[in-house]
Amino acid sequence: MTFSSEEEQIKKFEQDIVTQEYIAILRTLIAKKSIFAQQVGLQEVAAYLKEIFTRAGAEVELDDNYTAPFVIAKFKSSNPTAKTIIFYNHYDTVPADSDQIWTDDPFTLSIRDGGMYGRGVDDDKGHIIARLTAMQKYLQKHKTLPVNVIFMMEGAEESASVDLEKYLAKHKVLLQGADLLVWEQGIKNSLGQLEISGGNKGIVTFDMKVKSAEVDIHSSFGGVIDSASWYLLNALASLRDKDGCIQVEGLYDQVITPNQRELALVEQYAQRSPEEVETIYGLELPLLQEEKKSFLNRIFFEPSLNIEGITSGYQGQGVKTILPSEASAKVEVRLVPGLEPHGVLELIRKQLDKNGFDKVELVYTLGEMSYRSDMSALPILNVIELAKKFYQKGVSVLPTTAGTGPMHTVFEALEVPMVAFGLGNANSRDHGGDENVRIVDYYTHIELVEELIASYE
């Protein structure tokens, strides 16, 4: 099997007329901000997507009944018995504010040194345009598609996919019964392998709040009065042991353990290692799990309790000798199959009460359930075999990722095999400064998606 070099792929990218036409569209799409968290540009970008896909020949529906419009674009095959592929993507991005360092304007697509840079170029606008490019390249060579292709694009994925369940319930007659759903994105890992995954962790986030008095108290009373800060810290500490296991009765009883194939896939393909994490993040504290098998099991198959931030007391210049009357923490639990967000929060409430911390108030903020696949569905196996033709270093097949997304929501509504793969890289810097994709990965993704469509001939 002959593989193209990076230089050959870049040359094909530069000389491909269809690809360059759609790079111009991607440039415009990135320039249009669409940030759910700031309520910026959602209607405008959804309308622009409708324009793009209508021009490409799709039947497009823009459902704007909720905050972030839902866009469905359907390309029909002339074959009345044709199967259907769905591409799930999102057009919202996280902000790119002054707290991040960018080489160029984040909302201007920059192409330099073999890469493309801009907010959303990987997560997730670049995937929308690359996949549409692949479909148009196929149609340039053939009169009709061998498979129905549906793009469904939401605008709130970066904010826990607000209202997605409602959209899916409304449109599931159109979307159910597909042969395969290709998830939003994915990466080529540090070994040059294409990661092909079938799930993600869920999450429940919540605030923990304590009010211990009407006002802050002079700290001379510290020996006889419990401050809000100490009360909250002790409450938090009671929920996790020194090895990182969650100390909440009944929680692990609900966890669905991975099957043998899922365990084998992670053992064979997962590239994360204790040494890599220590190096990437410059860890000063010891790892909670240092043996690799236990390390990977914790990342992929077990829940974790995490403190996102703690606020209490005086943080100004100098000293203010007080016992804080209020304290709060932002907390999350990363969920695995079997755990439901509200159910987990109820267990935590009961555990805090049992531990003597009934004064802690819990405030639910958001939640998503988790989804995991053993990657054995025939349409997924087809993707795996096709990908081997395009990636010289091969593929890395994982039953889940450590990140979070609405895979469970989509699967519950549509009951379709789902697989994630994409055009990102191990350092695409999603959500950070200089978000990027490599040109070679962008063009190879186009080729793979075109081949996936052709495989239904």
Side-chain angles (χ1 to χ4, degrees), residues 169-231:
K170 183 177 179 180
H171 299 283
K172 67 180 181 180
V173 173
L174 170 64
L175 298 170
Q176 279 182 330
D179 191 57
L180 178 70
L181 185 146
V182 179
W183 199 246
E184 51 160 331
Q185 64 175 126
I187 67 166
K188 186 171 74 176
N189 65 25
S190 58
L191 298 181
Q193 301 167 328
L194 180 68
E195 282 196 357
I196 303 175
S197 60
N200 47 39
K201 279 190 170 181
I203 195 171
V204 57
T205 68
F206 53 98
D207 295 335
M208 295 177 63
K209 298 181 178 182
V210 175
K211 183 176 176 63
S212 60
E214 291 298 323
V215 296
D216 295 341
I217 301 170
H218 195 288
S219 62
S220 62
F221 289 99
V224 294
I225 293 178
D226 200 2
S227 69
S229 50
W230 273 118
Y231 191 91

Side-chain angles (χ1 to χ4, degrees), residues 72-349:
I72 301 176
K74 183 174 182 180
F75 297 88
K76 290 184 178 179
S77 169
S78 61
N79 179 0
T81 62
K83 295 180 179 179
T84 298
I85 297 174
I86 297 174
F87 292 107
Y88 161 81
N89 289 98
H90 63 91
Y91 59 84
D92 63 311
T93 72
V94 297
D97 296 331
S98 57
D99 61 322
Q100 296 181 339
I101 298 174
W102 287 79
T103 303
D104 296 308
D105 173 28
F107 295 101
T108 299
L109 180 65
S110 303
I111 300 178
R112 63 178 187 273
D113 304 322
M116 299 192 292
Y117 297 79
R119 175 57 82 228
V121 71
D122 184 47
D123 188 14
D124 180 42
K125 293 176 177 178
H127 283 82
I128 295 173
I129 300 304
R131 291 166 179 179
L132 179 56
T133 302
M135 205 202 63
Q136 293 297 88
K137 282 174 61 64
Y138 182 90
L139 284 172
Q140 189 182 53
K141 301 168 189 174
H142 306 84
K143 291 183 179 181
T144 185
L145 293 168
V147 61
N148 299 312
V149 178
I150 297 176
F151 286 76
M152 69 174 198
M153 296 162 280
E154 65 153 312
E157 193 275 341
E158 301 294 2
S159 295
S161 294
V162 175
D163 296 321
L164 180 58
E165 287 184 9
K166 297 172 185 175
Y167 285 121
L168 291 171
K170 183 177 179 180
H171 299 283
K172 67 180 181 180
V173 173
L174 170 64
L175 298 170
Q176 279 182 330
D179 191 57
L180 178 70
L181 185 146
V182 179
W183 199 246
E184 51 160 331
Q185 64 175 126
I187 67 166
K188 186 171 74 176
N189 65 25
S190 58
L191 298 181
Q193 301 167 328
L194 180 68
E195 282 196 357
I196 303 175
S197 60
N200 47 39
K201 279 190 170 181
I203 195 171
V204 57
T205 68
F206 53 98
D207 295 335
M208 295 177 63
K209 298 181 178 182
V210 175
K211 183 176 176 63
S212 60
E214 291 298 323
V215 296
D216 295 341
I217 301 170
H218 195 288
S219 62
S220 62
F221 289 99
V224 294
I225 293 178
D226 200 2
S227 69
S229 50
W230 273 118
Y231 191 91
L232 178 62
L233 289 171
N234 288 328
L236 285 164
S238 76
L239 297 176
R240 197 184 81 150
D241 69 16
K242 64 182 179 62
D243 295 320
C245 290
I246 302 173
Q247 299 294 97
V248 174
E249 290 182 12
L251 187 141
Y252 288 97
D253 296 340
Q254 299 178 6
V255 170
I256 298 174
T257 57
N259 62 35
Q260 288 303 308
R261 176 169 166 79
E262 290 166 347
L263 289 167
L265 287 173
V266 164
E267 187 170 351
Q268 179 179 355
Y269 290 114
Q271 296 306 314
R272 292 289 186 191
S273 69
E275 296 77 18
E276 179 195 36
V277 171
E278 285 181 328
T279 300
I280 289 174
Y281 296 106
L283 295 186
E284 299 291 336
L285 295 175
L287 288 164
L288 297 172
Q289 294 289 335
E290 297 187 357
E291 191 274 320
K292 187 172 181 180
K293 188 172 182 178
S294 299
F295 175 88
L296 292 175
N297 192 66
R298 178 70 61 83
I299 289 176
F300 288 101
F301 301 128
E302 293 183 9
S304 62
L305 174 68
N306 310 308
I307 301 171
E308 298 173 354
I310 302 176
T311 302
S312 185
Y314 180 68
Q315 303 295 328
Q317 184 177 354
V319 174
K320 186 178 182 182
T321 53
I322 60 166
L323 304 179
S325 61
E326 296 185 6
S328 63
K330 289 189 175 295
V331 186
E332 66 177 37
V333 179
R334 292 281 171 161
L335 308 178
V336 294
L339 298 178
E340 188 273 330
H342 289 283
V344 168
L345 199 58
E346 288 176 8
L347 289 176
I348 291 172
R349 173 74 274 163

